[in-house]
Amino acid sequence: FNEPEMHTAHATFSPDGNTLYYTICKYVGDADIRCDLYSRQRIGLSWGPSTKLPEPVNADGYSTTQPRIAVQPDGKTQVLYFVSNRPESKGMDIWAAPVSAEGIGKPERLGDVVNTPGDEFTPFYDRNSGQLYFSSDGHRSFGGQDVFRAAGRGTQFETPQNLGSTINSNFNE
């Protein structure tokens, strides 16, 4: 899975466990790193070759990272949540793309209710509660990147709520 001179991270499995999505990042300068999403298919007890997800999931010249496959409350619909700084973003923003047997559909930026001019990271969708959990330094916080949750599904969410001082501190969470 690891490739020379590259950084591999942020793995998530499809609900059936047969597809692994993950991030590969490469340095494009001394302090500039670019990331793309990749997948691998399970073949018996092993994994097939690495496949870079096509555009529009990955956007040439921009980072696409932190994938998370989520099953929506209906128990059937799957969504790939990820983070990207593509041109339509206001920083690092959370995006969502539908996943079906035909592949991954066109990504849509979660609206300004979730995304801010700051950065949003680490999306995780809890199907049982219908809540999207994420970190942000753009919403009102106790410190740096606090953890928030927002009720909703797909790309439609209510105003995020800070998880409070029992979870967040004046440091980055």
Side-chain angles (χ1 to χ4, degrees):
F1 285 83
N2 294 320
E3 298 186 26
E5 313 267 334
M6 299 204 183
H7 179 71
T8 303
H10 313 121
T12 186
F13 292 93
S14 62
D16 65 7
N18 289 324
T19 305
L20 173 68
Y21 298 94
Y22 59 101
T23 303
I24 295 180
C25 301
K26 62 183 168 191
Y27 289 94
V28 294
D30 288 340
D32 192 11
I33 191 167
R34 297 273 164 68
C35 304
D36 289 302
L37 298 184
Y38 288 76
S39 69
R40 287 180 187 251
Q41 297 297 314
R42 182 182 298 277
I43 300 173
L45 298 176
S46 189
W47 293 95
S50 179
T51 302
K52 183 177 175 179
L53 298 184
E55 287 196 25
V57 174
N58 287 308
D60 193 38
Y62 298 92
S63 281
T64 303
T65 185
Q66 299 179 350
R68 179 66 55 199
I69 290 288
V71 176
Q72 300 298 288
D74 64 11
K76 299 174 187 171
T77 307
Q78 294 181 34
V79 174
L80 172 65
Y81 291 103
F82 61 89
V83 175
S84 182
N85 64 347
R86 61 191 62 215
E88 300 88 357
S89 297
K90 295 181 177 180
M92 291 300 283
D93 284 348
I94 300 174
W95 290 72
V99 178
S100 68
E102 290 77 42
I104 300 174
K106 182 179 179 187
E108 185 177 335
R109 180 182 171 271
L110 299 190
D112 291 342
V113 170
V114 170
N115 291 310
T116 68
D119 293 322
E120 282 67 45
F121 296 102
T122 62
F124 173 82
Y125 187 80
D126 179 40
R127 164 181 156 188
N128 295 327
S129 68
Q131 301 277 338
L132 175 70
Y133 291 84
F134 63 97
S135 295
S136 174
D137 64 8
H139 290 279
R140 188 173 179 148
S141 68
F142 289 96
Q145 298 164 0
D146 279 4
V147 179
F148 293 82
R149 70 175 172 212
R153 62 180 295 178
T155 60
Q156 303 299 311
F157 290 92
E158 296 175 5
T159 301
Q161 303 297 311
N162 188 301
L163 292 185
S165 62
T166 57
I167 300 293
N168 295 309
S169 69
N170 60 346
F171 298 101
N172 289 336
E173 270 61 62

